[in-house]
Amino acid sequence: MKDSIFLNNDREMPLLGLGVYKITDSEAESAVTAAIASGYRMIDTASVYKNEESVGRSIAKSGVPRKDLFITSKIWNTAQRLGDVKGAFERSLERLKLDYADLYLIHWPVPGCYLSTWKEFEKILESGRALSIGVSNFEIRHLEELKKISGIVPAVNQIECHPLCYPKDLIEYCQESGIQVQAYAPLARGAYLDNDVMCVLGTKYAKTPAQIGLRWAVQKGISVIPKSVHPDRIAANSAIFDFTIQQEDMDIIDTLNQDYHSSSIPDDLRDILF
């Protein structure tokens, strides 16, 4: 299986990347360095993670040509409410010490804001300083609202997805609409690593339960951005393109879905979003 996929604007994106959610500065720098050394070429950060500077330092010292890297960041809710979309984007680029982002996402669909934010994203895309634009944590209804006001379809919708959380309707909607699904927390913060089914399949394929879970996602065409600060785990998480899970086993993993979310809705949205 190919280890990358084309987005709806014909730009290529890796199926595997490193997530750095709330990793501290020093840990983020070493984690990104380890990931790039292990062959990762996609790094996912966000302004709210407070580690864009560290990611930028790692990129600068990696020796990998910029064109070979795929760097994602996201706008936070506060900047959306303030209407400071362009400013937030420029500050992210400054912290990353980059001339452009490969992908810029709306982190959450803030009610009353995300449609106007998207219109500003269109301008950022047109400027060439973000090569693709997309969203995160958007449900079908949010994507439908975007469709009403814009002819630009999000390149990516980044959502929580793993064997214990498989929002099939949303994923099918995205795939039918040309929106690439990207899974954050694809390891469910460890919640399924001791699961009997995943352990048995790990033995069958001579892989870890984590590798089985990540492979399950990419076989469905879903990009994954597992988080880790441990170089050995970062390397292990990348060893998912040298085997194929049989369809009968894919179907078994599908039955593990229980709509389990390891992440939570931000405090400033909890009472108004869902």
Side-chain angles (χ1 to χ4, degrees):
M1 180 179 181
K2 200 173 187 299
D3 60 3
S4 63
I5 196 163
F6 280 93
L7 303 177
N8 59 22
N9 60 348
D10 292 328
R11 300 206 63 86
E12 194 170 9
M13 183 179 80
L15 278 169
L16 172 73
L18 179 74
V20 295
Y21 171 71
K22 289 190 176 178
I23 299 178
T24 60
D25 263 357
S26 59
E27 284 187 319
E29 188 167 350
S30 59
V32 173
T33 298
I36 292 175
S38 293
Y40 288 65
R41 291 297 178 263
M42 178 164 63
I43 309 296
D44 177 273
T45 185
S47 61
V48 77
Y49 299 168
K50 308 296 185 187
N51 55 24
E52 288 172 311
E53 294 93 340
S54 297
V55 171
R57 286 194 297 270
S58 300
I59 292 168
K61 70 182 184 182
S62 71
V64 176
R66 174 67 184 93
K67 66 180 179 59
D68 295 335
L69 297 171
F70 192 102
I71 310 301
T72 301
S73 194
K74 313 175 194 75
I75 187 171
W76 187 240
N77 306 338
T78 307
Q80 289 194 66
R81 292 190 177 100
L82 293 172
D84 188 24
V85 179
K86 181 181 177 182
F89 174 69
E90 291 178 346
R91 289 191 294 275
S92 281
L93 285 189
E94 172 59 29
R95 289 189 289 265
L96 288 161
K97 295 293 186 283
L98 297 178
D99 294 327
Y100 67 90
D102 295 275
L103 178 63
Y104 196 49
L105 303 178
I106 300 178
H107 209 148
W108 286 89
V110 178
C113 299
Y114 69 89
L115 295 179
S116 57
T117 297
W118 186 252
K119 298 306 287 186
E120 291 300 311
F121 267 44
E122 291 179 345
K123 297 175 185 176
I124 291 172
L125 179 66
E126 185 177 358
S127 76
R129 301 193 74 198
L131 303 185
S132 299
I133 55 174
V135 298
S136 180
N137 298 298
F138 274 46
E139 298 290 339
I140 293 173
R141 67 182 184 276
H142 304 124
L143 296 169
E144 283 288 304
E145 289 300 313
L146 276 191
K147 188 188 295 186
K148 292 176 183 177
I149 60 103
S150 176
I152 297 178
V153 178
V156 169
N157 186 15
Q158 190 182 105
I159 59 173
E160 179 164 0
C161 179
H162 45 74
L164 304 181
C165 178
Y166 183 57
K168 190 169 184 287
D169 290 346
L170 175 58
I171 290 170
E172 289 181 350
Y173 174 92
C174 288
Q175 292 175 337
E176 291 168 1
S177 302
I179 302 169
Q180 175 62 40
V181 177
Q182 186 170 71
Y184 69 77
L187 301 177
R189 314 235 165 107
Y192 64 79
L193 302 186
D194 293 325
N195 180 278
D196 289 345
V197 169
M198 301 300 284
C199 290
V200 167
L201 291 177
T203 299
K204 176 177 179 177
Y205 292 97
K207 291 289 183 177
T208 66
Q211 291 166 333
I212 296 295
L214 295 173
R215 178 66 198 183
W216 167 84
V218 299
Q219 260 182 237
K220 290 178 176 289
I222 297 170
S223 174
V224 292
I225 47 171
K227 165 190 169 181
S228 181
V229 297
H230 304 287
D232 56 339
R233 293 180 191 169
I234 290 171
N237 288 342
S238 69
I240 59 173
F241 296 102
D242 58 352
F243 75 109
T244 300
I245 300 174
Q246 296 171 3
Q247 187 57 49
E248 61 186 21
D249 293 330
M250 291 287 287
D251 294 342
I252 290 171
I253 296 172
D254 286 354
T255 68
L256 299 179
N257 177 42
Q258 52 187 258
D259 196 29
Y260 169 79
H261 288 264
S262 63
S263 59
S264 58
I265 297 172
D267 290 343
D268 64 341
L269 291 178
R270 186 168 294 126
D271 295 332
I272 60 175
L273 189 55
F274 295 103

